[in-house]
């Protein structure tokens, strides 16, 4: 059984993951509008991943006999600039999410909630990957600069990303 504090914090994380999904979907829409279909695909898959993350929290709360509560999702940023700035914003957002996961682990330990701590460890590993992936694309975009051919080449690479549901 979840403590009330833990239940509230996990519910807030459902909202944070759904906001992440919204944010990346908005970025995907922007890239599609710019005819950067590979970038748009990458962000669309990212949005799907975030939705799957939200569902993991949703399922954990229910499995632990808690109550999943869905709050309003904030509207995402809608004015976007160049691909580099967008991926830098995605990287910053992932660092923010990592901080939230760390706080959840700290709370689980404080609440003596070993099951939630164990559940959250998957996210600890996932966030290392999330940050590294976003930062990797930031670094590539820095190297590319204003080279249109290289941007086009990266767009083709990012078009290859497919959605794999998390286990
Ligand atoms: Fe669900 Fe990208 O963190």
């Amino acid at each position: 059984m979840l403590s009330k504090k833990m239940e509230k914090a996990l519910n807030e994380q459902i909202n944070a993951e759904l906001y992440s999904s919204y944010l990346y979907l908005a970025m995907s829409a922007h890239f599609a509008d710019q005819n950067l279909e590979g970038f748009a695909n990458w962000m669309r898959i990212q949005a799907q991943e975030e939705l799957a993350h939200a569902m993991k929290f949703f399922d954990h709360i229910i499995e632990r006999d808690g109550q999943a509560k869905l709050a309003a999702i904030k509207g995402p940023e809608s004015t976007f600039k160049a691909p580099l700035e967008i991926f830098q914003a995605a990287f910053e957002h992932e660092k923010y999410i990592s901080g939230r996961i760390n706080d959840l682990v700290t709370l689980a330990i404080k609440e003596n909630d070993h099951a939630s701590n164990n559940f959250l460890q998957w996210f600890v590993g996932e966030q290392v990957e999330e940050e590294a992936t976003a930062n990797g694309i930031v670094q590539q975009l820095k190297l590319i600069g204003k080279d249109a051919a290289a941007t086009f080449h990266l767009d083709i690479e990012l078009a290859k990303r497919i959605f794999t549901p998390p286990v």
Side-chain angles (χ1 to χ4, degrees), residues 13 17 20 24 46 49-50 53-54 93-94 97 123 126-127 130:
Q13 192 60 25
E17 299 290 349
S20 304
Y24 295 132
Q46 190 66 17
E49 274 201 3
E50 301 301 352
H53 291 171
H93 183 70
E94 287 306 328
I97 293 292
F123 283 93
E126 175 71 3
Q127 283 310 120
E130 293 270 80

Side-chain angles (χ1 to χ4, degrees), residues 101 105 109 115-127:
I101 299 292
V105 171
I109 292 166
S116 288
N117 186 8
N118 182 54
F119 162 76
L120 287 163
Q121 291 308 310
W122 183 87
F123 283 93
V124 171
E126 175 71 3
Q127 283 310 120

Side-chain angles (χ1 to χ4, degrees), residues 137-155:
I137 298 172
V138 166
Q139 297 313 318
Q140 285 186 67
L141 286 166
K142 279 185 180 168
L143 284 173
I144 285 171
K146 294 198 184 312
D147 185 335
T151 304
F152 182 66
H153 182 74
L154 181 58
D155 192 57

